[in-house]
Amino acid sequence: MTSTASNGPGFFGELLDPAHRVDPYPLYERMRAAGPVRLGSMPVVVLSSHADCTAVLRHRDAAVDRSHAAIPMGPTPVHDLAGEFGAGLTGIAPMLFRDAPDHTRLRRLVAAAFTPARVRGLEPRITALADAALDRAGARGALDIVADLAYPLPVTVICELLGVPPVDEPRIREWSGLLARTLDPIAAVGAGRPDPAELVRASNELHGYFEQLTRYRRTRPGTDLLSELIAAEASGAALTHDELIATCGLLLIAGHETTVNLISNTVLALLRQRHHLAILRGARAFAGAVIEESLRFDPPVHLVPRIARAPIPLPGIDLERGDLVILMLAAANRDPAVFADPGRFDPARHDRHLAFGLGQHFCLGAPLARLEATVAINRFAARVRRPRLSEDPPPYRAHVTLRGPAAIEVEFDAIAPAA
Ligand code: HEM
């Protein structure tokens, strides 16, 4: 079949419009109903159905290496935004933008250091961090779920995992916040776009920071993930120095700019549907189902890109070689062909969402994200007495791809002491 072109640029313009950030789902419904769309005559296609997104994520010719694109692109989005493909940038593309065999090699090394046992072992620490965050809010008598719980928790966890000293966390946050915005489709960053010079600075400073930390850890290895990756590099296990640094940057940004949204979106859903919060108070194990449904219903990552490195025929469109394909995961997660009554938050569903992607690039940090969110909502449910939303809907960040609330102010009667 040939390409569909109707409505493409219109939908895309709407997608980037900040007015849709609070509730993009009616737009996604229209996009899905319209089927695959090509943006005018451009080599850019937007796919919104569960079947199309799944087919592309599993397809061997759906690449992430941006050099396959028909429109000229740098090796990472930061390169595109930093000016003539990253003038002045140091560093190389991390595994998220690399295909096999490099991707396979890098992913295997990180997966070996990022084991389920290591993640499970973090639970007591994550619980202590969540309790400390709620203690601070209790002492102040005010709670913003985003600033007080959802953001600091994953930042501290990923920094500790990588062996970043706590004193450096504020700098890490600044770099990561700036760089997260670069994952948005390029046109979206127009108005509030970070200054390219700022991006180059943030990216180079992050790179330089991990250069320094790596140098330090080479002589004083710890039990952290970075030390294990350095050992892999030293053992000749095919991880170059630049790849090591790029991996650290990826883990750092992927490790918290997403989980913040998962915790925030889940608390928001619980405060809007309080019967689930009541169940959670009595049965902590319910958290797993609540989080899976939150990942489907309001995912932290709304879209991921792919590039067709060869023609890919789909039922509603033929992807051409070089097409940039935007996969609307958040739209696929509400596809009525897969999920009955998709606009209803129902933790009893079976898990077939695409929130963590699928196939070769399936999120490496999914077990950690699930654990952090489970602990956060269980501590919230157990300790915060009669929580109410101060403002509904809350304000949202400008980000299109990593969409989530900017703040969730919660009123409450008390925050009970940690048991
Ligand atoms: C709720 C939180 C999270 C969500 C929704 C999420 C989502 C995703 C998605 C959709 C992808 C696939 C991207 C693609 O296919 O192009 C991905 C990849 C990745 N994620 Fe996550 N992520 C989360 C948390 C984390 C955490 C906590 C870490 C690490 C500490 C992490 C590390 C990674 C890495 C390294 C990749 C690249 C994997 C590869 O290229 O093979 N993520 N994530």
Side-chain angles (χ1 to χ4, degrees), residues 95-96 103 107 114 158 254-255 258 262 306 355-357 361 363 365 369:
M95 74 174 96
L96 188 60
H103 170 260
R107 183 169 168 116
F114 209 10
I158 194 67
T258 48
L262 177 56
R306 287 294 184 271
F356 288 121
H361 293 270
C363 178

Side-chain angles (χ1 to χ4, degrees), residues 142-150 260-269 271-272 298 380 388-396 404-411:
L143 174 60
D144 169 359
I145 295 297
V146 180
D148 297 329
L149 182 64
V260 56
N261 292 341
L262 177 56
I263 297 173
S264 302
N265 294 341
T266 310
V267 172
L268 190 59
L271 290 176
R272 284 174 171 163
D298 209 5
F380 172 81
R388 285 99 58 195
L389 283 171
S390 306
E391 193 184 4
D392 194 8
Y396 274 76
I408 304 178
E409 297 288 349
V410 169
E411 290 161 27

Side-chain angles (χ1 to χ4, degrees), residues 100-375:
D102 285 343
H103 170 260
T104 323
R105 169 177 55 84
L106 293 169
R107 183 169 168 116
R108 197 172 293 144
L109 283 169
V110 178
F114 209 10
T115 57
R118 168 172 237 140
V119 172
R120 275 196 305 276
L122 295 172
E123 184 166 354
R125 178 66 183 143
I126 296 173
T127 305
L129 288 168
D131 275 333
L134 291 175
D135 288 344
R136 282 193 297 274
R140 257 200 350 267
L143 174 60
D144 169 359
I145 295 297
V146 180
D148 297 329
L149 182 64
Y151 205 81
L153 186 65
V155 178
T156 304
V157 170
I158 194 67
C159 284
E160 288 186 359
L161 250 178
L162 285 169
V164 169
V167 58
D168 296 327
E169 277 184 26
R171 283 202 288 165
I172 296 279
R173 275 193 196 199
E174 194 230 318
W175 296 326
S176 164
L178 267 170
L179 297 173
R181 194 75 212 279
T182 67
L183 291 177
D184 284 349
I186 193 154
V189 268
R193 170 185 179 151
D195 175 1
E198 279 281 278
L199 284 177
V200 174
R201 178 189 61 79
S203 180
N204 287 352
E205 284 181 4
L206 183 64
H207 183 90
Y209 178 82
F210 278 112
E211 284 272 357
Q212 238 182 338
L213 193 62
T214 308
R215 220 172 298 137
Y216 177 79
R217 286 279 171 231
R218 271 189 218 291
T219 51
R220 295 176 194 76
T223 52
D224 51 88
L225 203 78
L226 176 57
S227 298
E228 284 190 30
L229 290 173
I230 291 171
E233 179 203 15
S235 74
L239 175 81
T240 69
H241 177 68
D242 279 347
E243 287 172 343
L244 172 69
I245 305 291
T247 301
C248 290
L250 171 64
L251 287 174
L252 192 96
I253 295 172
H256 71 268
E257 294 292 340
T258 48
T259 312
V260 56
N261 292 341
L262 177 56
I263 297 173
S264 302
N265 294 341
T266 310
V267 172
L268 190 59
L270 289 171
L271 290 176
R272 284 174 171 163
Q273 285 138 110
R274 313 183 63 84
H275 54 292
H276 294 312
L277 187 58
I279 300 174
L280 195 60
R281 281 208 188 93
R284 288 174 41 184
F286 184 51
V290 167
I291 284 157
E292 288 319 302
E293 177 62 349
S294 171
L295 282 160
R296 179 197 73 83
F297 182 79
D298 209 5
V301 179
H302 275 225
L303 59 98
V304 295
R306 287 294 184 271
I307 292 130
R309 71 177 151 211
I312 301 178
L314 292 174
I317 196 166
D318 286 336
L319 301 179
E320 290 164 23
R321 183 163 174 262
D323 275 346
L324 169 63
V325 191
I326 303 204
L327 305 175
M328 299 299 306
L329 303 181
N333 277 357
R334 292 204 187 193
D335 189 337
V338 176
F339 304 101
D341 195 3
R344 196 162 61 89
F345 186 87
D346 177 9
R349 289 176 200 275
H350 292 298
D351 166 26
R352 288 170 70 192
H353 64 73
L354 298 178
F356 288 121
L358 197 70
Q360 296 194 340
H361 293 270
F362 182 85
C363 178
L364 255 179
L368 177 59
R370 286 178 166 129
L371 178 63
E372 288 179 8
T374 302
V375 170

Side-chain angles (χ1 to χ4, degrees), residues 61-100:
D61 289 321
V64 293
D65 179 339
R66 296 154 54 98
S67 66
H68 294 292
I71 39 174
M73 293 172 107
T76 70
V78 187
H79 286 79
D80 292 348
L81 288 165
E84 217 7 66
F85 294 153
L89 275 177
T90 47
I92 58 165
M95 74 174 96
L96 188 60
F97 303 108
R98 293 172 74 175
D99 295 320

